[in-house]
Amino acid sequence: MLRASRAVNAAIVEGLREKGFPELRSTHTALLSNLDLNGSSLTVVAERAGMTKQAMGRLADDLVRLGYVVSVPDKKDRRAINLMFTDSGLELMHTSFAVMHDVERRCVKRIGKGSFRTLLTALTEVAEELEW
């Protein structure tokens, strides 16, 4: 499962690089894939990714520098940070959905539609069983 997860992640990052996002790194997906399209707190994104707030903060700083997210102080708790996509970040995410669709199409071509559907169902069951 880990090998497949890494391969999917690498295929998505490579697809995004080919579509005009050359500075994207595979580590960035830990933040991007866990940030809601309308924004989330740094703490929530870190928890979803299974990372410390400090490590996620470094990824956030990098993506802020690249112009894909902005970091905004929480109005209710000045110590908390909220992350939101910029317009460029939303473009990146919409492009990533298209790239993911291409990756899924490659998988269907390789193992067939029924097997792919079964795989997704099985992986969902595994995730639900193992989540905290």
Side-chain angles (χ1 to χ4, degrees):
M1 284 188 295
L2 187 57
R3 181 176 169 209
S5 176
R6 287 180 179 156
V8 167
N9 190 45
I12 292 169
V13 170
E14 183 58 30
L16 287 167
R17 286 179 179 158
E18 290 172 1
K19 293 191 180 294
F21 301 93
E23 66 286 327
L24 197 68
R25 296 189 332 253
S26 62
T27 55
H28 292 141
T29 62
L31 187 149
L32 296 171
S33 65
N34 289 293
L35 177 58
D36 293 334
L37 290 178
N38 60 348
S40 306
S41 73
L42 176 70
T43 301
V44 167
V45 176
E47 287 173 358
R48 288 176 181 168
M51 296 174 65
T52 65
K53 288 189 295 185
Q54 292 79 8
M56 186 58 70
R58 287 190 292 277
L59 284 177
D61 290 344
D62 200 28
L63 289 167
V64 166
R65 183 184 57 77
L66 293 170
Y68 295 124
V69 298
V70 291
S71 176
V72 182
D74 189 298
K75 293 176 183 170
K76 296 176 185 171
D77 181 355
R78 295 229 185 260
R79 297 170 299 159
I81 299 291
N82 291 319
L83 302 173
M84 299 183 72
F85 285 109
T86 62
D87 289 343
S88 295
L90 289 173
E91 180 183 342
L92 167 65
M93 291 310 296
H94 289 297
T95 303
S96 73
F97 299 147
V99 169
M100 185 63 191
H101 184 70
D102 290 341
V103 169
E104 289 176 356
R105 194 172 343 162
R106 286 174 58 192
C107 293
V108 166
K109 183 178 178 183
R110 177 74 178 242
I111 66 174
K113 192 174 187 176
S115 293
F116 186 68
R117 210 175 294 131
T118 300
L119 174 64
L120 290 180
T121 300
L123 288 172
T124 299
E125 291 294 324
V126 167
E128 289 175 2
E129 174 64 28
L130 299 177
E131 285 178 340
W132 302 296

